[in-house]
Every structure is written in C-alpha cells, then in structure tokens.
Amino acid sequence: AELQIKENYRAQMQDSTMEDIDDDNALVSSPQPGNTNRKLDAGEAKAMKHIDEARITVELYLADTLTTLAYCYEAKLSNFQLALTFYKESLDIYAKHAGKKHFTVLNTLQSIGIVNLRLEQWDEARRCFEEWLELVKRRLQGNKAKGPNGILKCPSTLENNKVATVLKSLGFVQSKLGNHDKAFDNLSKSIDQMSVTVLKAKESTVSNLSNDILKPLCDPFICDALSKMAGCMFSKLSSLKMEYVKRRLTMLYGEEEAFDVDLPRLTQLQVERKTIEIVRDAVSMGKTLLFSQDCAKIVSSSHSVPDKTIENE
C-alpha cells in the first residue's frame, strides 16, 4: 500500500510540472516563443506560488511515505539495504524543504545511522551520528547550550534522551573502529547526559555531576552504557597486549633502536584496573535492576533497554 502511495505522489509531482495552465483557472500559461522574459503579473505570481506550495506539500507527503516504507523494511522485513535507500531519499526531501536543523531531518539522519550500524558500515554510521550531534549543537546554539561536563541543555526530556542515545551509539561505533579512547569518552558523555533524565525522574538533585562514571545512577540505559564501556576497554587491553608482545620481540630479535618496552605494559595494567571497576559496577547495577522491586517500572520506562541486555550482565 505504501509503495502504491509513493508512486501516486511521484505521478502527481510529474503532472504538476507538465501541466499547461491558464489565467482563468488561476494558473499560469506556458511561456510563448519570444515572450520568455515576460514579467509575471500579480495574479500569475500568486498562481505560481500556489503551484510551488502544492508541489512542496506533495513532496513532503512523499518523504513521509518513504520514511514509513524504510521503517517497514528495517523493523519488519530486516531488509536494511532497501531501508537505507528509502531513508536517504526522504532525508534529501526533508532537508530541501524543512532545513537541516528540523526534527524530521534529525530523526531520519539518526535512523540512517542505526541502519548503517546494523549493516556494520561503521564509517558511515559514525558520520551520521557525528553530523546529528553537530546539528543538534547548532540548534541549541552551540557552546551556550552546554552545562557541566559538556552536557547539552536540551529543552525536553525526550530530546535529552535522544542525545544520550546517539552518544552511546557513536561510542559503540568508535569502539568497532578501534578508536577506544573516543569510544570511552562518548559512552561516558552518554551516561552524564542520561543522568539528567534519571535525576529528574527520581526527583533528586546533586551539587555536581562528576566525571566519575564508576558511581552511576541505577538505570537500564546507564547499565547498558557501562557494559559497552567494559567491552571497549577489553578491546583496548587486547591491542595493548599485542603491542607489548610486539615490542618485546622487536627488542629481542629486531634491528630497530631500543625503546621503552615496559610502557605498553604499564598502560595495560592501568586499563585493567579501570576495566575491572567498570565491570563490577555494571554487574552490580544489573543485579540491582533484576532484583529491585521497581525493576518492572524501570524497564518499561521510555529510555530503557531490552531485558536481554540486563540478563547478560
């Protein structure tokens, strides 16, 4: 049905550009030879404005239809490649008529990032999420919108949750790309951002939202972010271990100049301690969420993660 609607909209768009229009019907006639530079009178200009508005309306309806189609292919049919095609087409139309900072553009851009993530197209996903965050910062007037620890001051809880979700997604993608420090930073920011919502929900206040992510509020979203941070740290540990072994072998058998072979080892030990603390917090929070009397209420909240994520902890 949505495919048929899409074709109908496109047919309307094509017809509106091919029609010959006369003044009696409040429409504009096709230019005549030798009269191509004729200035439109008031009636013709008004008619042309109505035509443009009608075309824009049809195109926006088409964009809505393309978005719905993309959702069907993504969420219901798992045809992510086709979903990506429709999302991109709708994004171009939304950006053309609504501007890049409009919420429809941001929502579609986030959807494109998520589909790229599912397709494991990490670079494309990273670009989408980074562009989304940059557009939101511009919409919130850049640095003036930042609070403690770089937290964006969003006008609504829903928008705050979206910022936290995109930061978490970007952190996960950065981890897959091997950018462990950037991944850790974005995941930490997502926890700080979501803490604003959790604090409001619990009607609690704190004097300062600390950068210490090892003492987070008990929440499924934060628990999931901690889990991803632990995975990021494990990946970093693996890289450090390989670098340590490589340096030892180079020192023993290579012809290169000597260097501090213990440096990766010392860094590895520091990361190990940090990883252990994060894993302990994630496991502790998972247990609390599972056995708390308020578990059902928390899991059903608007920013919760599936039960499977908590069970994995």
Side-chain angles (χ1 to χ4, degrees):
E2 292 290 345
L3 283 168
Q4 184 60 50
I5 293 172
K6 173 173 71 74
E7 295 305 321
N8 290 342
Y9 283 142
R10 283 183 167 158
Q12 290 182 45
M13 290 167 60
Q14 186 175 11
D15 290 343
S16 67
T17 59
M18 296 176 64
E19 277 184 341
D20 287 339
I21 309 167
D22 56 50
D23 291 338
D24 293 336
N25 296 322
L27 302 173
V28 181
S29 301
S30 298
Q32 299 298 324
N35 196 30
T36 55
N37 295 325
R38 180 176 66 85
K39 185 176 180 179
L40 298 177
D41 60 31
E44 291 174 336
K46 184 177 180 180
M48 286 300 296
K49 182 179 179 182
H50 288 320
I51 293 170
D52 288 338
E53 289 175 352
R55 185 179 295 113
I56 291 171
T57 300
V58 171
E59 288 188 10
L60 289 174
Y61 276 129
L62 172 61
D64 291 341
T65 302
L66 290 167
T67 301
T68 306
L69 275 170
Y71 172 77
C72 290
Y73 281 112
E74 176 197 357
K76 304 301 180 183
L77 300 175
S78 298
N79 189 335
F80 302 120
Q81 200 61 56
L82 202 51
L84 192 60
T85 300
F86 286 131
Y87 274 136
K88 287 181 176 179
E89 193 172 349
S90 67
L91 178 66
D92 290 339
I93 298 173
Y94 285 138
K96 174 183 175 183
H97 296 303
K100 286 189 175 182
K101 297 179 185 178
H102 196 269
F103 72 93
T104 53
V105 173
L106 294 173
N107 289 343
T108 307
L109 187 60
Q110 183 182 5
S111 297
I112 292 173
I114 292 171
V115 173
N116 277 310
L117 190 150
R118 293 186 178 220
L119 289 170
E120 298 185 0
Q121 297 175 171
W122 308 122
D123 273 323
E124 290 295 324
R126 176 187 57 79
R127 278 193 285 269
C128 287
F129 293 138
E130 287 180 345
E131 183 179 356
W132 189 95
L133 288 167
E134 185 60 33
L135 289 172
V136 168
K137 288 177 183 177
R138 291 180 188 175
R139 186 178 179 185
L140 299 175
Q141 300 178 349
N143 293 331
K144 294 180 181 179
K146 291 184 179 180
N149 303 330
I151 296 174
L152 291 176
K153 295 181 180 178
C154 300
S156 67
T157 300
L158 178 61
E159 192 164 358
N160 185 79
N161 292 353
K162 281 190 175 183
V163 172
T165 300
V166 171
L167 282 168
K168 186 173 73 168
S169 298
L170 179 58
F172 177 75
V173 169
Q174 292 281 18
S175 178
K176 289 294 184 179
L177 288 169
N179 303 326
H180 305 302
D181 292 333
K182 289 183 178 180
F184 189 91
D185 182 56
N186 283 311
L187 289 168
S188 178
K189 286 179 180 178
S190 76
I191 290 176
D192 286 338
Q193 196 75 42
M194 183 54 73
S195 296
V196 175
T197 296
V198 177
L199 287 169
K200 287 182 180 178
K202 293 175 179 284
E203 297 182 349
S204 176
T205 57
V206 291
S207 57
N208 180 35
L209 288 173
S210 173
N211 277 325
D212 183 9
I213 52 83
L214 301 178
K215 296 179 181 179
L217 297 164
C218 188
D219 179 81
F221 180 97
I222 297 176
C223 183
D224 184 49
L226 281 171
S227 178
K228 285 180 169 57
M229 289 178 76
C232 172
M233 299 297 276
F234 278 124
S235 298
K236 185 174 182 178
L237 278 173
S238 178
S239 299
L240 287 169
K241 183 178 180 180
M242 293 297 295
E243 177 66 18
Y244 177 61
V245 172
K246 179 182 176 181
R247 288 197 178 196
R248 288 192 64 187
L249 292 174
T250 302
M251 184 182 67
L252 292 172
Y253 305 108
E255 297 179 355
E256 298 181 9
E257 295 182 4
F259 43 72
D260 189 354
V261 72
D262 289 328
L263 183 60
R265 181 60 178 166
L266 292 173
T267 306
Q268 181 182 346
L269 292 173
Q270 293 172 355
V271 174
E272 281 179 355
R273 294 190 189 99
K274 191 80 169 178
T275 304
I276 290 172
E277 292 175 353
I278 294 173
V279 171
R280 282 175 177 168
D281 268 331
V283 172
S284 176
M285 185 177 294
K287 288 179 179 179
T288 302
L289 289 170
L290 281 173
F291 298 109
S292 171
Q293 293 180 354
D294 297 329
C295 181
K297 181 179 178 181
I298 296 173
V299 171
S300 63
S301 62
S302 61
H303 56 275
S304 63
V305 295
D307 293 350
K308 184 177 179 181
T309 302
I310 302 174
E311 290 171 2
N312 287 340
E313 299 299 340

